[in-house]
Amino acid sequence: MRRFWRLLGIGFGLIVAVVIVAFLWFRTPDTDPKAMRAKYAPAPSQFVDLGGGLTLHVRDTGPRDAPVLMLLHGSNASLHTWEPWAQRLQGAYRVIRFDFPGHGLTGPSPSHAYGPRAFADVVERLRLKLKLAKFVLAGNSMGGSVAWHYALWHPERVRALVLVDASGQPEPKGARLPFAFRVARTPVLREIAAEITPRAFIAGSLPDAFYDRSLVTPAMIDRYWELLRYPGNRTATLERFAGTSDPATPARLHALAMPVLILWGANDSLIPASSAKWFGRQIPDARTIIYPRTGHVPMEERAEQSAADLAAFLHERLGLPPVAR
């Protein structure tokens, strides 16, 4: 019996040793902040101190006296997702985009708050810091949810609202819960995910956001992978995914009194185009455009057309520039 327990102890020790070696072998360390800033924050990037230990990675381009367009990125993305729009619109608009806490080069939130109210508060703090009176607010996916929340809480600040494949509809039919959400809600797995994030994980999941998967380049995969591993971002992502949602209701959306433009990819596999129609039915003053052969990020996949549609909508409804200035 003593021999049995000794062998069992040896066997358990070997298993532990194998697990430790495997963990060390597959572990993907955090990226170096200095190297990431050099690579992903050239001019016109800046870092804006909002106080309380929070400093945002921001790009603020276009004429200072032009109408302001603020752009909110989606889950696990960064301000870079808006570059196609910025390049097309910053001649006529002051275009502001930034990395949310727990994303990109902003890093984790000092308060560990990652819900819509906390993110809407970040938008308001940035507005105050930049001394903005009113602006057009656009958001994609998670950023779309933050945008309509902000518009409900600060309607006097939002000239028009733009929802791009926005989250918010409660349990839309056909929506897929991302694998990362399931991992975040599973004990042990989430602790492993905070340390082991192979590039193949990004390479296998990022193409789901596009209809034309050839648009997902090795450089884009590297950017998502490296910024996810920016110190604190992986833990922040898991904390955010494990949190509770705050979905829209018809009554809440009906309170949106500003002009609303809804842009959507017909082939969005993450939030189906049926959500675009649902939002359109609930919001009193909404126009909906659905792009064929387009996935979750029309501002990247249909940059020219979606930017032109936005400018035309703002020109028609608010008298803002049709783009050229």
Side-chain angles (χ1 to χ4, degrees), residues 90-114:
Q90 64 192 7
Y93 289 86
R94 179 181 177 183
V95 182
I96 300 170
R97 59 270 191 215
F98 64 90
D99 293 340
F100 275 117
H103 295 76
L105 299 174
T106 290
S109 165
S111 63
H112 298 273
Y114 300 104

Side-chain angles (χ1 to χ4, degrees), residues 32-43:
D32 176 66
K34 185 176 180 180
M36 291 299 96
R37 289 191 174 202
K39 185 173 184 178
Y40 295 115

Side-chain angles (χ1 to χ4, degrees), residues 40-65:
Y40 295 115
S45 282
Q46 58 181 300
F47 291 85
V48 177
D49 184 359
L50 295 187
L54 179 61
T55 300
L56 292 187
H57 175 214
V58 178
R59 286 186 182 172
D60 180 356
T61 56
R64 300 297 89 177
D65 61 343

Side-chain angles (χ1 to χ4, degrees), residues 135-138 158-162 258-261 313-314 318:
F135 51 91
V136 175
L137 183 62
V158 180
R159 303 182 69 177
L161 178 65
V162 186
M258 69 286 296
V260 178
L261 177 63
F313 177 79
L314 297 178
L318 302 178

Side-chain angles (χ1 to χ4, degrees), residues 159-210:
R159 303 182 69 177
L161 178 65
V162 186
L163 303 179
V164 185
D165 295 66
S167 60
Q169 182 184 7
E171 300 180 1
K173 292 182 180 179
R176 288 191 307 166
L177 183 67
F179 175 72
F181 278 78
R182 298 196 295 271
V183 168
R185 294 168 185 174
T186 305
V188 180
L189 283 182
R190 62 172 168 251
E191 282 72 28
I192 294 174
E195 297 289 343
I196 300 177
T197 314
R199 185 180 184 276
F201 177 78
I202 304 300
S205 58
L206 184 58
D208 289 344
F210 292 79

Side-chain angles (χ1 to χ4, degrees), residues 279-294:
F279 274 108
R281 289 194 300 269
Q282 319 307 328
I283 299 171
D285 188 8
R287 177 178 300 173
T288 302
I289 300 174
I290 298 177
Y291 300 106
R293 298 180 298 281
T294 306

